[in-house]
Amino acid sequence: MKRPQANPWIAQIPPYAPGLSKEQIARQHGIAAPIKMASNENPLGPSRLALKAIDTFKDHVHLYPDAAARELRQAAAGYFHCEPENIIAGNGSDEIIDMVCRAYLAPGDKVVIPECTFSYYRIAALACGATVIRTPMDGTRIDASAIESAMTGEEHTKLIFLANPNNPTGTYLNREAIDRLIARIPASSILIIDEAYAAFARAADFASTSNLIATCPNIIVINTLSKSHGLAGLRVGFGLADRTIIDILGRVKPPFNLNLLAIKAGTAALSDTAFVQETLDLTWNGLDYLERECSRLGLACVPSQTNFILVHVGPAARRVYEELLQRGIITRYLDEPGLAEFLRISIGLPHENEALIANLENILPILR
Ligand SMILES: Cc1ncc(COP(=O)(O)O)c(C=O)c1O
């Protein structure tokens, strides 16, 4: 029987694998209150100012939102120290990644993506029929020289994706490495620097690149309110770039891509500095606690500049993940080259971090 055929390159796209939800685990394992440490969400919940804005504007949802999300972009301009004309808002930063690919990629174009990074870059590029060139990692760190060789090599590369800090490893490239990459971007290529986790970075030599968009015509900096501002379920992300790029992205943007409550709540959240500070304190204390306790249990952690930590559990990592699941603790096992012995664990509330460690302490001796 004849069936409609999708574009032939669509079949190559690996399905995106989200973290398991609390509801799934509660149902499957009969656990009343599972602990989710799998999707790098904010354990404090949403920004309180965002909640207030949702309450104030919930009666307005019969109206279309502002297609240009002007007030949100104005607030974001203050937050990222640039002009509203340098910002496009997305339904999560996933949508910014998608818009960049749709605007710039044609079938056969080359896209550089490190081997071990956020999986949606590859999905979005493959959806446009692009050819993905994966650059090798330097252990759990992104190898900047491998990116440089790929983007300056003989084959023209249209887009280069770099998560800084990186998901799922939590590692980062320092200012010097980023500056060197930016200086070498070919004139007809774009380097996308995804700073979804930049708010959490504590390393003295980490530097955000959002201040470089005024002077670099071929970078796009991505950010999101999903993590530091606790709005993952509402979907608010940003692309920051030179006005010419923002104009191009605006042409492929769905008309009302951000819903009215996302615009109002996102605008309010951007002024909630107390909430962000509370989030950072909680995250950094949690990271320090987990590093210390993992080390006591003989597990090495990859130093993290994010709100999650990659823990080297060893060959039994998948079984440890499954044992944790049965006990109601959802972590992330990433079945990818180089990561088979690791679990990625999002920082939780103090009692959640403690429950994780107590359960690891019980599970590890059984599996060793
Ligand atoms: C590096 C990175 N970029 C972008 C995203 C997408 O975030 P959102 O679409 O929620 O803004 C994520 C989500 O986990 C991420 O890890």
Side-chain angles (χ1 to χ4, degrees):
M1 194 176 70
K2 269 204 160 189
R3 288 178 181 277
Q5 294 296 311
N7 287 326
W9 51 83
I10 299 296
Q12 299 175 35
I13 301 177
Y16 180 78
L20 294 172
S21 72
K22 287 190 190 190
E23 289 71 22
Q24 277 169 293
I25 295 310
R27 224 180 307 119
Q28 279 171 18
H29 298 282
I31 289 161
I35 295 175
K36 188 177 179 202
M37 307 175 89
S39 299
N40 309 335
E41 293 148 336
N42 193 320
L44 288 174
S47 143
R48 313 294 176 264
L49 297 186
L51 287 181
K52 213 166 137 208
I54 291 172
D55 202 42
T56 307
F57 289 99
K58 61 184 186 305
D59 295 339
H60 296 224
V61 295
H62 60 299
L63 301 172
Y64 278 104
D66 171 18
R70 267 173 276 258
E71 62 182 303
L72 176 66
R73 285 171 44 241
Q74 184 73 48
Y79 189 82
F80 295 112
H81 309 292
C82 60
E83 299 301 319
E85 293 73 22
N86 293 116
I87 301 181
I88 186 158
N91 190 259
S93 53
D94 286 344
E95 194 186 39
I96 305 292
I97 296 164
D98 204 41
M99 288 192 273
V100 171
C101 289
R102 285 196 294 125
Y104 286 96
L105 294 177
D109 281 347
K110 309 277 185 306
V111 178
V112 173
I113 302 176
E115 190 71 58
C116 189
T117 191
F118 184 49
S119 61
Y120 193 60
Y121 307 144
R122 181 155 166 247
I123 294 174
L126 290 175
C128 296
T131 302
V132 172
I133 300 169
R134 309 209 75 181
T135 55
M137 302 288 289
D138 172 11
T140 51
R141 296 161 58 90
I142 285 183
D143 185 341
S145 57
I147 297 181
E148 188 181 324
S149 307
M151 78 178 179
T152 55
E154 265 172 30
E155 287 200 291
H156 175 247
T157 54
K158 200 85 173 270
L159 302 179
I160 303 102
F161 281 95
L162 173 65
N164 198 39
N166 188 37
N167 175 15
T169 58
T171 54
Y172 74 108
L173 291 182
N174 67 19
R175 152 146 265 164
E176 199 186 329
I178 294 283
D179 284 349
R180 187 183 153 97
L181 272 182
I182 290 177
R184 284 164 178 73
I185 312 169
S188 54
S189 306
I190 297 178
L191 174 65
I192 298 110
I193 306 169
D194 181 346
E195 298 190 353
Y197 299 96
F200 300 98
R202 284 187 282 182
D205 58 350
F206 173 84
S208 166
T209 47
S210 54
N211 61 329
L212 301 182
I213 54 169
T215 46
C216 299
N218 47 359
I219 66 170
I220 300 174
V221 180
I222 288 179
N223 216 310
T224 178
L225 301 188
S226 290
K227 290 127 199 326
S228 48
H229 295 72
L231 298 186
L234 211 53
R235 318 299 300 130
V236 183
F238 300 105
L240 317 177
D242 176 82
R243 287 170 190 223
T244 320
I245 292 180
I246 297 298
D247 174 67
I248 292 291
L249 297 180
R251 291 165 196 253
V252 298
K253 181 182 88 60
F256 303 103
N257 59 332
L258 269 85
N259 71 68
L260 187 140
L261 295 179
I263 292 175
K264 297 293 182 186
T267 304
L270 282 165
S271 66
D272 201 345
T273 46
F275 178 78
V276 174
Q277 193 53 54
E278 201 187 334
T279 298
L280 297 183
D281 292 341
L282 181 95
T283 306
W284 292 334
N285 287 335
L287 275 170
D288 294 345
Y289 168 81
L290 286 186
E291 268 198 41
R292 222 171 32 241
E293 288 297 301
C294 284
S295 151
R296 182 174 65 77
L297 300 180
L299 305 176
C301 294
V302 177
S304 171
Q305 299 299 319
T306 62
N307 65 346
F308 60 84
I309 191 154
L310 196 62
V311 182
H312 185 234
V313 177
R318 188 197 283 273
R319 286 183 60 209
V320 173
Y321 161 77
E322 281 161 2
E323 291 288 335
L324 283 169
L325 263 192
Q326 287 186 12
R327 290 161 171 80
I329 300 188
I330 316 169
T331 60
R332 199 73 181 264
Y333 180 71
L334 296 141
D335 201 358
E336 291 176 24
L339 292 182
E341 297 197 347
F342 291 86
L343 290 186
R344 195 195 70 186
I345 298 170
S346 308
I347 306 306
L349 294 170
H351 78 270
E352 296 174 324
N353 301 333
E354 285 159 19
L356 169 86
I357 294 296
N359 278 284
L360 278 176
E361 203 156 10
N362 288 334
I363 294 166
L364 290 174
I366 317 172
L367 299 179
R368 270 184 179 148

